[in-house]
Amino acid sequence: MKMMYAATPEQEHYMQYLLNYFYTDVFPYYFDDEQIRQFEEWGILSLDHEHVAYNGTMKEAFQIISTLQSLITVIEYMGEHGECDQYEWLFARNQNILARHGITFPFRAKQFIHKRAMPCSMYVPAVNQWVM
């Protein structure tokens, strides 16, 4: 018999936060709204599709969380500095970890080199609640 620990609700919530972070704070700087909408339809970075092999264990949650955090860090660094050669292996490694869990992330590191300065996107969260 093997004991497995379930992921905590906080871990589940944080995973969803990181997945949402890609759509609100990463993708708008590199893709237009139509492309991002297609990513949603295709189930990119989604835990809700039938091919996802995430069973809700604590080990899987830690792996997915650390992988998403690493990808965010690498992408943000590449976008700011415009270089990806030394981090391409880390990008691919984390992409493979997501693939093992059935989470789709079909991008190349080079797609995140040129970051837009001011994205105009419906996916970017509002700065405040006031309408001017």
Side-chain angles (χ1 to χ4, degrees):
M1 177 185 268
K2 185 174 182 179
M3 288 288 279
M4 300 192 83
Y5 295 97
T8 64
E10 290 82 8
Q11 288 172 317
E12 297 278 341
H13 178 68
Y14 189 59
M15 256 192 305
Q16 287 300 329
Y17 167 78
L18 290 172
L19 294 170
N20 188 47
Y21 184 87
F22 271 94
Y23 280 92
T24 59
D25 294 293
V26 176
F27 289 159
Y29 287 94
Y30 302 96
F31 306 103
D32 61 32
D33 284 354
E34 181 60 29
Q35 290 173 306
I36 297 171
R37 189 188 60 72
Q38 286 180 334
F39 298 161
E40 288 177 325
E41 287 178 10
W42 294 337
I44 292 175
L45 288 176
S46 174
L47 295 174
D48 298 330
H49 285 275
E50 65 275 353
H51 60 274
V52 174
Y54 171 65
N55 296 315
T57 66
M58 189 174 282
K59 179 182 177 183
E60 291 173 327
F62 276 126
Q63 287 177 340
I64 293 169
I65 287 170
S66 62
T67 298
L68 293 172
Q69 288 174 329
S70 295
L71 281 171
I72 290 168
T73 302
V74 168
I75 289 168
E76 288 178 347
Y77 177 84
M78 290 187 307
E80 293 296 321
H81 295 84
E83 60 183 71
C84 76
D85 294 335
Q86 71 186 73
Y87 294 105
E88 241 176 310
W89 68 272
L90 185 59
F91 186 90
R93 180 177 181 262
N94 285 292
Q95 200 172 28
N96 289 335
I97 292 170
L98 287 179
R100 274 189 269 148
H101 292 290
I103 301 170
T104 307
F105 191 74
F107 302 104
R108 295 182 321 272
K110 293 187 187 303
Q111 290 179 276
F112 298 100
I113 292 176
H114 303 291
K115 182 179 181 180
R116 293 186 215 167
M118 299 282 291
C120 182
S121 173
M122 68 180 197
Y123 289 94
V124 175
V127 176
N128 58 41
Q129 296 178 355
W130 296 94
V131 177
M132 300 280 176

